[in-house]
Amino acid sequence: MRPKNQSSVSEFLLLGLPIRPQQQCVVFTLFLGVYLTTVLGNLLIILLIRLNSRLHTPMYFFLSHLAFSDVAFSSVTVPKMLRNMQIQCQSITYAGCVSQVYFFIFFGCLDSFLLAVMSYDRYVAVCHPLHYTTIMRDELCIILVAGCWFLSCAHALLHTLLLDQLSFCAGTVIPHFFCDLSAVLKSSCSDTSLNELLIFTEAGLIFTLPLGGILGSYICMAAIILKVLSFKRIFKALSTCGSHLFVVFLCYGTIAGVYYFPSSGNSKVKGIIASLMYMVVTPMLNPFIYSLRNKDMKRARQKLFRTKDSPWCR
């Protein structure tokens, strides 16, 4: 096939999920349920934080942005995947593919930065409790969140602009169920060495810096907690931080498996499963891990949903 530039290629073909036709109904129902759980759970978090004044604290301010990012992150790919499964058509337009690449990188990067900011907030709360309100003032919280959005936007825009300079062959097939950057690069007819170099350098920093901040925060917290040996205190810290660390390792581990330790040609299913884990499963788990089991969030839910006595029954 003869290479064509980006303006002459109208659409790509996605291979989709590696499932049998008779399994599509079950898989469609499963992912629809997971997606609706993700959307409703995270929107409930945003609603509770917005309506309850007791939740107007730095931790829940960051959590509301993480919840919005998780909804957007899943919405970038899952609705298109479900639609393709329903209509039995795996095509995607060039503009839709580039947009999917941009927003996928944007919200994925935003998630990483927000996780790092939340770990810093917990570090200040544990290690400097007396100065917490002084350090985590409203101005700093807004600056941290704005920085997360700006850096994520710049990171996604850089990769998308470079992608837009590549050429593709007519009838290009992307071996994935969405327009993943690495899969699109492999399908290009152009030299992608600059794009790949950028992934392993600039994207590597985006990957390691938030992870280093998260691990550093928890190491400092562990050092403070272990200074005073108390089984109850250690158990409480592990029950809170263990869930957070589990999601962090789940998210970063699957990203590393997809982009830094890619699967061989005969085991691409592992890469697809890893993508589903951090793109579909992790955003669904976040509401349960970060807030739905939290006492403050439980009180806010009870206050929101409790039925008030009718004046006619009094």
mmCIF file of all heavy atoms in Angstrom, residues 53-62 132 141:
data_model
loop_
_atom_site.group_PDB
_atom_site.id
_atom_site.type_symbol
_atom_site.label_atom_id
_atom_site.label_comp_id
_atom_site.label_asym_id
_atom_site.label_seq_id
_atom_site.Cartn_x
_atom_site.Cartn_y
_atom_site.Cartn_z
ATOM 1 N N SER A 53 -20.640 21.157 53.101
ATOM 2 C CA SER A 53 -19.608 22.135 53.448
ATOM 3 C C SER A 53 -18.476 21.519 54.275
ATOM 4 O O SER A 53 -17.358 22.028 54.276
ATOM 5 C CB SER A 53 -20.233 23.305 54.222
ATOM 6 O OG SER A 53 -20.861 22.844 55.396
ATOM 7 N N ARG A 54 -18.760 20.416 54.983
ATOM 8 C CA ARG A 54 -17.721 19.763 55.781
ATOM 9 C C ARG A 54 -16.651 19.112 54.893
ATOM 10 O O ARG A 54 -15.559 18.811 55.373
ATOM 11 C CB ARG A 54 -18.343 18.707 56.697
ATOM 12 C CG ARG A 54 -19.208 19.289 57.803
ATOM 13 C CD ARG A 54 -19.680 18.189 58.737
ATOM 14 N NE ARG A 54 -20.462 18.724 59.854
ATOM 15 C CZ ARG A 54 -20.970 17.984 60.831
ATOM 16 N NH1 ARG A 54 -20.758 16.666 60.830
ATOM 17 N NH2 ARG A 54 -21.668 18.548 61.790
ATOM 18 N N LEU A 55 -16.995 18.894 53.645
ATOM 19 C CA LEU A 55 -16.050 18.260 52.718
ATOM 20 C C LEU A 55 -15.275 19.282 51.896
ATOM 21 O O LEU A 55 -14.571 18.909 50.962
ATOM 22 C CB LEU A 55 -16.794 17.307 51.779
ATOM 23 C CG LEU A 55 -17.550 16.164 52.441
ATOM 24 C CD1 LEU A 55 -18.223 15.289 51.399
ATOM 25 C CD2 LEU A 55 -16.632 15.339 53.327
ATOM 26 N N HIS A 56 -15.393 20.560 52.244
ATOM 27 C CA HIS A 56 -14.654 21.602 51.540
ATOM 28 C C HIS A 56 -13.260 21.747 52.157
ATOM 29 O O HIS A 56 -12.912 22.779 52.747
ATOM 30 C CB HIS A 56 -15.414 22.929 51.595
ATOM 31 C CG HIS A 56 -16.704 22.893 50.834
ATOM 32 N ND1 HIS A 56 -17.611 23.946 50.829
ATOM 33 C CD2 HIS A 56 -17.246 21.945 50.035
ATOM 34 C CE1 HIS A 56 -18.646 23.637 50.078
ATOM 35 N NE2 HIS A 56 -18.455 22.422 49.587
ATOM 36 N N THR A 57 -12.472 20.684 52.017
ATOM 37 C CA THR A 57 -11.109 20.638 52.528
ATOM 38 C C THR A 57 -10.171 20.301 51.371
ATOM 39 O O THR A 57 -10.620 19.846 50.309
ATOM 40 C CB THR A 57 -10.977 19.569 53.630
ATOM 41 O OG1 THR A 57 -11.286 18.275 53.072
ATOM 42 C CG2 THR A 57 -11.928 19.861 54.787
ATOM 43 N N PRO A 58 -8.869 20.524 51.536
ATOM 44 C CA PRO A 58 -7.933 20.230 50.434
ATOM 45 C C PRO A 58 -8.024 18.803 49.913
ATOM 46 O O PRO A 58 -7.996 18.576 48.704
ATOM 47 C CB PRO A 58 -6.566 20.513 51.069
ATOM 48 C CG PRO A 58 -6.839 21.543 52.107
ATOM 49 C CD PRO A 58 -8.181 21.197 52.652
ATOM 50 N N MET A 59 -8.128 17.814 50.809
ATOM 51 C CA MET A 59 -8.160 16.424 50.373
ATOM 52 C C MET A 59 -9.340 16.155 49.442
ATOM 53 O O MET A 59 -9.195 15.527 48.388
ATOM 54 C CB MET A 59 -8.235 15.484 51.581
ATOM 55 C CG MET A 59 -8.243 14.014 51.197
ATOM 56 S SD MET A 59 -8.345 12.905 52.619
ATOM 57 C CE MET A 59 -10.042 13.186 53.136
ATOM 58 N N TYR A 60 -10.513 16.644 49.810
ATOM 59 C CA TYR A 60 -11.699 16.407 48.993
ATOM 60 C C TYR A 60 -11.730 17.324 47.771
ATOM 61 O O TYR A 60 -12.369 16.992 46.770
ATOM 62 C CB TYR A 60 -12.954 16.575 49.844
ATOM 63 C CG TYR A 60 -13.083 15.515 50.902
ATOM 64 C CD1 TYR A 60 -12.871 15.818 52.243
ATOM 65 C CD2 TYR A 60 -13.368 14.196 50.555
ATOM 66 C CE1 TYR A 60 -12.962 14.837 53.219
ATOM 67 C CE2 TYR A 60 -13.466 13.215 51.530
ATOM 68 C CZ TYR A 60 -13.258 13.532 52.851
ATOM 69 O OH TYR A 60 -13.336 12.559 53.806
ATOM 70 N N PHE A 61 -11.064 18.442 47.842
ATOM 71 C CA PHE A 61 -10.919 19.295 46.657
ATOM 72 C C PHE A 61 -10.129 18.551 45.576
ATOM 73 O O PHE A 61 -10.519 18.532 44.401
ATOM 74 C CB PHE A 61 -10.218 20.597 47.040
ATOM 75 C CG PHE A 61 -9.902 21.491 45.890
ATOM 76 C CD1 PHE A 61 -10.902 22.147 45.185
ATOM 77 C CD2 PHE A 61 -8.578 21.694 45.492
ATOM 78 C CE1 PHE A 61 -10.602 22.978 44.112
ATOM 79 C CE2 PHE A 61 -8.273 22.518 44.433
ATOM 80 C CZ PHE A 61 -9.283 23.164 43.737
ATOM 81 N N PHE A 62 -9.022 17.926 45.977
ATOM 82 C CA PHE A 62 -8.241 17.132 45.032
ATOM 83 C C PHE A 62 -9.031 15.910 44.568
ATOM 84 O O PHE A 62 -8.970 15.517 43.403
ATOM 85 C CB PHE A 62 -6.928 16.685 45.676
ATOM 86 C CG PHE A 62 -6.033 17.813 46.098
ATOM 87 C CD1 PHE A 62 -5.347 17.764 47.305
ATOM 88 C CD2 PHE A 62 -5.872 18.936 45.292
ATOM 89 C CE1 PHE A 62 -4.525 18.800 47.696
ATOM 90 C CE2 PHE A 62 -5.051 19.983 45.679
ATOM 91 C CZ PHE A 62 -4.377 19.912 46.883
ATOM 92 N N TYR A 132 -0.837 22.058 59.132
ATOM 93 C CA TYR A 132 -1.558 21.612 57.933
ATOM 94 C C TYR A 132 -2.353 22.747 57.285
ATOM 95 O O TYR A 132 -2.269 22.981 56.077
ATOM 96 C CB TYR A 132 -2.484 20.445 58.281
ATOM 97 C CG TYR A 132 -3.293 19.950 57.104
ATOM 98 C CD1 TYR A 132 -2.727 19.124 56.153
ATOM 99 C CD2 TYR A 132 -4.629 20.324 56.944
ATOM 100 C CE1 TYR A 132 -3.468 18.676 55.063
ATOM 101 C CE2 TYR A 132 -5.370 19.883 55.872
ATOM 102 C CZ TYR A 132 -4.788 19.061 54.938
ATOM 103 O OH TYR A 132 -5.515 18.626 53.861
ATOM 104 N N CYS A 141 -3.564 25.002 47.002
ATOM 105 C CA CYS A 141 -4.363 23.927 46.406
ATOM 106 C C CYS A 141 -4.750 24.266 44.964
ATOM 107 O O CYS A 141 -4.672 23.412 44.073
ATOM 108 C CB CYS A 141 -5.613 23.679 47.243
ATOM 109 S SG CYS A 141 -5.283 23.039 48.898
#
